[in-house]
Amino acid sequence: MVLLAWGRQAPPADVVVALSGRACAACGGDRVPRRESQGPTRAGHIIEMIVKTTPLCFRGKNILAPMVRVGTLPMRLLALDYGADIVYCEELIDIKMLQCKRVVNDILGTVDFVAPNERVVFRTCERERDSVVFQMGSADAARALAVAKLVENDVACIDVNMGCPKEYSTKGGMGAALLSDPDKIESILRTLVKGISKPVTCKIRILPLLEDTVSLAKRIEKTGVAAIAVHGRKKEERPQHPVHCDVIKAISEAVSVPVIANGGSHDFIKEYTDIGAFQQTTAASSVMIARAAMWNPSIFRKEGLCPLKDVMQEYIKYAVRYDNHYTNTKYCLCQMLREQLETTQGKKLHAAQSTQEICEVFEMSGFYKETTAILEAKKVSLETKTQDEGDQVEDTDVIKMAVRFDKREYPPQITPKMYLLEWCRKEKHPQPVYETVQRPLDKLFCSVVTVAERKYRSSLWDKSKKLAEQAAAIVCLRTLGLPEGKVGEGENHLIKKRKREDHNLTNNREHGDELIETACKKVHLTEGTSDSSTSEMAQ
């Protein structure tokens, strides 16, 4: 909510001054704003007004369903381009999300939720902010609320998966496992509805008995959810089994909240006009599409399906622009190709081992080079700006150079720090002293190394203390014109020294083993004699 103050003029006619309990004609349960009488406006009269954004509506919508490995950012954006009203991300497990930190990615223009291993678990952007539903897997109300609070400002809605029949979800008591525990369902949903400001929904499958399914839907409705998505199959049924439209219809007629029909890709939805037919058959408020959208996201396009080649190229553009991992990009493209996987193009796609190779398969090498160059230039620009604005170890006496340590450029077990230490010993200097700081804004590190009373550092910040120290060592070595141990730099005396040390260590170990073996034999002989003597004495 935003509080506004108007001075000597009356507010515009379309400004919201209060909220009523009147239901929206399009959204049913959604509340809509109306104007209340404020009386005459006098000169200097201050009028306070509350402006409230309209919550996500779940009536009359075509929705991209949550799909594991498919519902990542490129697919969601492509579905929106073709006409989807709402897009769900893939199910993300609560425990995994709680390990993530929220990172604003200025290079890509995204918000990333990053795991401790630096893997991006969830990525979103401003384009989908008012349309994306974050779906989580959870079996614990407290964890679910913690995740919802973590992401709620970056998404339009929070959904709890209560229908996935796969083991990775059910073994933790999540997904379809929740269908047999309505008390837990109610606890999770009530906690979320009370605890966050965004709408809350859930996605279920149907139960063996119709009356039980309707009863569960009514109980869910009472928690205050904004909508219920219903996959019209039982948890043991698969896509080849017919969808139970009659059960979805019974739920739609039994509850007042919007019901989202799901499961029609196999039997009903082949093109855009089929979406309306499925909605009418199920009497649902909206339709959620999974596999039909995975095969061709232009299913949401009112004008009809686009050629698959064009769709795949548009998908790849989003994948490159948003740095989607190539394995995920490849998986989604394979789902689109389907029966064409055995073609020459399909086989080349299957063999691709990078985003660049995927682009080559689809004759998009030029786009890849141009886009990656733009992103790299933006990265360099932002790094320079950040360092200029927020440098916490600025020192005019420090010699700086823009370098990074890349482990791949050095032989195994050889580093610039080792070379610098070796040089200091040889020149009778005190050993290098490293001072490392971490920048609070982005948690990056910078290290200053002091050698022979001079200080050196890289002007680039690194993601770990070790990398920052190696970079500082490189700056020192390059400034002094010393070798740093890179592959192909010439004769590497440290490698030879290490080999000698390893050889001596091996010899010492072998010699030690011989001494131990001899000692053991002597001990064994002594013990044997003692046992024999004892035996004779006992007799």
Side-chain angles (χ1 to χ4, degrees), residues 75-232:
M75 182 65 80
R76 299 196 304 266
L77 294 177
L78 191 58
L80 289 173
D81 286 349
Y82 285 126
D85 301 298
I86 299 170
V87 291
Y88 279 59
C89 75
E90 60 179 332
E91 178 193 20
L92 296 170
I93 307 303
D94 54 4
I95 295 175
K96 183 180 292 186
M97 282 299 300
L98 289 175
Q99 296 172 351
C100 294
K101 63 179 179 180
R102 181 183 183 274
V103 178
V104 176
N105 189 327
D106 291 321
I107 298 171
L108 300 178
T110 61
V111 173
D112 301 341
F113 291 84
V114 185
N117 63 358
E118 301 299 324
R119 176 176 171 266
V120 177
V121 176
F122 176 61
R123 171 169 285 162
T124 185
C125 66
E126 187 65 28
R127 162 84 168 85
E128 65 170 5
R129 184 170 182 171
D130 296 328
S131 309
V132 65
V133 177
F134 179 89
Q135 187 188 68
M136 76 171 84
S138 182
D140 181 87
R143 286 202 305 267
L145 180 59
V147 173
K149 285 183 174 295
L150 178 67
V151 303
E152 72 169 318
N153 291 329
D154 299 301
V155 299
C157 175
I158 302 294
D159 180 85
V160 182
N161 184 349
M162 299 179 172
C164 180
K166 299 296 179 64
E167 184 183 358
Y168 77 86
S169 187
T170 58
K171 69 180 180 182
M174 301 175 288
L178 286 170
L179 295 174
S180 58
D181 194 346
D183 289 340
K184 185 173 285 187
I185 287 178
E186 186 174 343
S187 172
I188 292 172
L189 295 177
R190 284 191 184 279
T191 299
L192 288 174
V193 170
K194 291 179 181 179
I196 63 173
S197 60
K198 295 294 174 69
V200 176
T201 61
C202 69
K203 185 170 183 284
I204 66 171
R205 283 195 171 221
I206 64 175
L207 299 172
L209 298 178
L210 173 61
E211 54 268 30
D212 291 341
T213 308
V214 172
S215 176
L216 176 63
K218 287 182 176 180
R219 189 166 179 178
I220 290 173
E221 178 185 26
K222 291 178 182 178
T223 65
V225 295
I228 306 171
V230 181
H231 185 153

Side-chain angles (χ1 to χ4, degrees), residues 368-406:
Y368 175 81
K369 291 177 182 178
E370 179 183 346
T371 304
T372 52
I374 291 172
L375 293 176
E376 184 61 30
K378 191 172 183 181
K379 179 181 178 182
V380 172
S381 174
L382 286 170
E383 283 181 342
T384 303
K385 182 180 178 182
T386 301
Q387 287 148 15
D388 290 343
E389 293 178 352
D391 198 334
Q392 296 181 11
V393 289
E394 195 63 46
D395 191 333
T396 55
D397 295 331
V398 178
I399 297 173
K400 289 179 286 186
M401 196 180 295
V403 299
R404 290 195 191 280
F405 171 69
D406 187 343

Side-chain angles (χ1 to χ4, degrees), residues 2-39:
V2 181
L3 189 66
L4 301 179
W6 289 84
R8 297 179 180 275
Q9 292 182 336
D14 59 348
V15 171
V16 179
V17 286
L19 296 173
S20 76
R22 185 163 51 89
C24 168
C27 304
D30 291 338
R31 298 164 72 85
V32 294
R34 68 175 173 84
R35 170 187 290 278
E36 287 188 351
S37 174
Q38 297 295 312

Side-chain angles (χ1 to χ4, degrees), residues 326-327 330-331 333-334 337 341-362:
Y326 86 90
T327 56
K330 186 164 120 176
Y331 177 83
L333 291 171
C334 286
L337 275 179
L341 277 172
E342 293 305 315
T343 63
T344 302
Q345 186 181 50
K347 290 178 180 178
K348 287 181 179 179
L349 172 62
H350 193 267
Q353 294 298 310
S354 67
T355 299
Q356 183 174 358
E357 290 182 11
I358 291 173
C359 288
E360 290 170 359
V361 173
F362 290 88

